């Protein structure tokens, strides 16, 4: 209730479905409720437009290069489309569906793995298909410049006087969370941090 999700049993509007994938219980009921909710809210996507979606995960594959798993949310993604994904741009060279089969198009609500980006995007980045390669590169350059400006302004806020003031005040620990997807990189960063301490 503190997140404004009041179950129907309590007089709210949130549907609750007990589900167990292990016991294979409640899955059909969950799918029914998803379809019912989508029908009641009139959730529809237009397949006749340029694709828009979200990156679910991304990685760097040695043989294929940057690979991003994308969920198309609106429009249709075609093989050969120019896309901008976060700060990465590229042309969709190949698409593979969840069964490992190569596909030429991906419509709304279809997850696909795309190959052809110039860089590995971040999970959660938005994918947008654009008219041509020039537009994609211009948008990517604008995003990179904005990111660079944000980093510069964030770094300029801390000066040495403030840092020494914090050390003098007794700040002696720094909690760090490291997220990495390449084997060995976490260990290398951890070893460097241990050396610093």
């Amino acid at each position: 209730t503190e997140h404004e999700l009041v179950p129907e049993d309590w007089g709210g509007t949130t549907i609750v479905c007990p589900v167990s994938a292990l016991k294979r219980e409640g899955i059909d009921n969950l799918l029914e409720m998803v379809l019912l909710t989508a029908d009641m809210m009139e959730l529809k996507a237009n397949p006749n437009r340029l694709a828009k979606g979200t990156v679910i995960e991304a990685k760097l594959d040695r043989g294929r290069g940057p690979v991003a798993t994308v969920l198309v949310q609106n429009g249709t993604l075609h093989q050969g489309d120019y896309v901008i994904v976060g700060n990465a741009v590229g042309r969709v060279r190949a698409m593979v569906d969840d069964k490992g089969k190569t596909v030429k198009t991906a419509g709304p609500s279809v997850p696909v793995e795309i190959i052809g980006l110039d860089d590995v995007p971040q999970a959660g980045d938005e994918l947008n298909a654009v008219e041509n390669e020039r537009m994609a590169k211009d948008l990517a350059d604008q995003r990179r410049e904005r990111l660079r400006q944000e980093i510069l302004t964030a770094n300029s806020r801390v000066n040495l006087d403030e840092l020494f003031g914090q050390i003098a005040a007794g700040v002696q620990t720094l909690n760090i969370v490291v997220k990495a997807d390449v084997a060995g990189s976490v260990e290398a960063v951890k070893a460097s941090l241990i050396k610093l301490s």
Side-chain angles (χ1 to χ4, degrees):
T1 57
E2 81 180 61
H3 298 290
E4 296 179 15
L5 296 172
V6 181
E8 286 180 325
D9 296 344
W10 294 0
T13 58
T14 305
I15 298 172
V16 177
C17 298
V19 176
S20 171
L22 186 64
K23 296 178 184 176
R24 296 179 185 248
E25 295 175 354
I27 296 170
D28 292 333
N29 185 35
L30 175 65
L31 293 175
E32 265 182 52
M33 292 300 119
V34 169
L35 289 174
L36 176 69
T37 304
D39 193 34
M40 296 294 288
M41 295 175 69
E42 296 181 6
L43 299 176
K44 295 179 182 171
N46 179 6
N48 302 321
R49 61 174 296 230
L50 292 173
K52 183 177 178 180
T54 304
V55 175
I56 299 169
E57 64 180 350
K59 63 185 176 186
L60 182 62
D61 188 292
R62 287 181 188 231
R64 301 183 295 172
V67 178
T69 303
V70 176
L71 178 63
V72 178
Q73 295 169 314
N74 206 352
T76 302
L77 184 63
H78 301 276
Q79 185 175 338
D81 281 354
Y82 291 100
V83 294
I84 179 167
V85 187
N87 293 329
V89 293
R91 186 172 187 186
V92 179
R93 288 191 322 223
M95 290 190 295
V96 179
D97 67 5
D98 57 328
K99 295 174 183 70
K101 186 175 161 188
T102 302
V103 293
K104 299 280 186 199
T105 62
S109 299
V110 176
V112 287
E113 202 173 65
I114 63 170
I115 301 164
L117 299 173
D118 66 351
D119 195 12
V120 180
Q122 297 292 315
D125 280 351
E126 189 175 286
L127 171 134
N128 287 297
V130 292
E131 301 282 332
N132 53 42
E133 184 179 17
R134 184 176 182 194
M135 183 184 287
K137 288 187 177 182
D138 289 345
L139 288 171
D141 289 341
Q142 289 173 8
R143 288 182 182 181
R144 287 183 186 124
E145 181 62 28
R146 192 176 331 123
L147 180 66
R148 190 176 75 78
Q149 290 298 328
E150 288 173 7
I151 291 171
L152 287 174
T153 57
N155 289 342
S156 66
R157 290 184 194 140
V158 179
N159 59 32
L160 285 176
D161 292 332
E162 291 175 7
L163 187 61
F164 287 129
Q166 289 177 355
I167 292 172
V171 177
Q172 296 184 7
T173 60
L174 176 63
N175 296 325
I176 298 176
V177 177
V178 178
K179 179 184 173 195
D181 62 347
V182 180
S185 62
V186 172
E187 290 79 14
V189 170
K190 184 178 177 183
S192 298
L193 291 172
I194 289 172
K195 285 180 187 175
L196 286 174
S197 64

